[in-house]
Amino acid sequence: MRNRCLQILLVVLFALGAYHAVAGEWEVGGKYALSFQDVDGKELSTNDGYVTIITVVTRAQEDNARAVADLVPDRYVGDEKYRYVTLVNFQGKLAGPFEGLTRAIIRNRLNAEAEGLKPQYLAKKIERDPRSDLHVIADFDGSASRRLGLSESAGTAVFVFDGAGKLLGRWKGVPPGDALPKVLAPAR
């Protein structure tokens, strides 16, 4: 009987912990070790030494990803200590057979974006290919969004993590004014 009660208690505690993580009870200053895989198959983690900006958008809000990227000061573009990641929340609306095709389309768009960044990299005397700095997570089933405490139907959200996984800033929607640069400045 005692063992059964203990098992039930552990299950309840685990469920409450899982609910807390999914319910979006994130606090700036909290540490969050999250891992994702981008469309190139690269593992990205919030605690792997990079200052990471994650912008979550739906297909209908893709322009918001560009608006957030435009808020990042030029001095961070190409800086090996910083990483910008776009997470596209497909909200479970894409049929399985189209996932591979969608990844290929995203990779082609990233290749074009990298070509556009080459002059900026050359001007900064950065010799590596800008394509290696571009990351998109295709969240077909909503699992990546849920790891960030978002629902499948959530819209644009922005998260900034330091290299140890500490949450430095979080916004629903595109950050206002100079909020993003202010959070990035002390992260160096």
Side-chain angles (χ1 to χ4, degrees):
M1 177 72 167
R2 237 174 109 173
N3 285 340
R4 182 77 175 142
C5 288
L6 183 58
Q7 286 175 338
I8 291 171
L9 178 63
L10 289 174
V11 167
V12 169
L13 289 175
F14 177 76
L16 286 174
Y19 170 79
H20 180 73
V22 172
E25 298 293 329
W26 289 47
E27 293 185 26
V28 171
K31 286 205 174 184
Y32 303 94
L34 305 169
S35 291
F36 304 96
Q37 188 175 62
D38 72 6
V39 294
D40 296 317
K42 294 180 189 167
E43 286 295 322
L44 308 172
S45 178
T46 57
N47 65 342
D48 60 2
Y50 296 92
V51 174
T52 302
I53 304 162
I54 300 176
T55 300
V56 181
V57 294
T58 63
R59 287 267 308 139
Q61 303 164 329
E62 285 182 15
D63 289 342
N64 287 346
R66 171 71 63 196
V68 174
D70 289 344
L71 293 173
V72 177
D74 286 341
R75 68 181 171 271
Y76 300 113
V77 176
D79 188 325
E80 291 179 317
K81 296 177 184 173
Y82 292 81
R83 175 171 57 205
Y84 183 82
V85 178
T86 302
L87 189 154
V88 182
N89 177 357
F90 286 93
Q91 300 176 308
K93 295 179 181 177
L94 191 67
F98 295 107
E99 292 177 10
L101 176 63
T102 302
R103 281 188 190 92
I105 291 169
I106 292 170
R107 285 192 293 271
N108 284 335
R109 290 177 69 181
L110 289 172
N111 291 340
E113 181 77 19
E115 285 300 315
L117 284 172
K118 281 185 179 179
Q120 196 172 1
Y121 272 54
L122 289 173
K124 291 182 166 190
K125 297 180 179 22
I126 300 171
E127 295 182 17
R128 74 179 178 285
D129 184 359
R131 179 62 178 85
S132 64
D133 293 338
L134 301 176
H135 306 282
V136 172
I137 299 163
D139 188 12
F140 296 115
D141 63 1
S143 62
S145 297
R146 283 191 298 274
R147 276 184 266 150
L148 287 165
L150 302 172
S151 70
E152 187 176 285
S153 63
T156 301
V158 179
F159 300 81
V160 179
F161 298 92
D162 73 2
K166 179 180 176 185
L167 183 62
L168 302 176
R170 178 181 185 218
W171 299 270
K172 183 177 180 180
V174 176
D178 62 349
L180 183 59
K182 281 184 179 178
V183 166
L184 290 173
R188 285 188 74 91

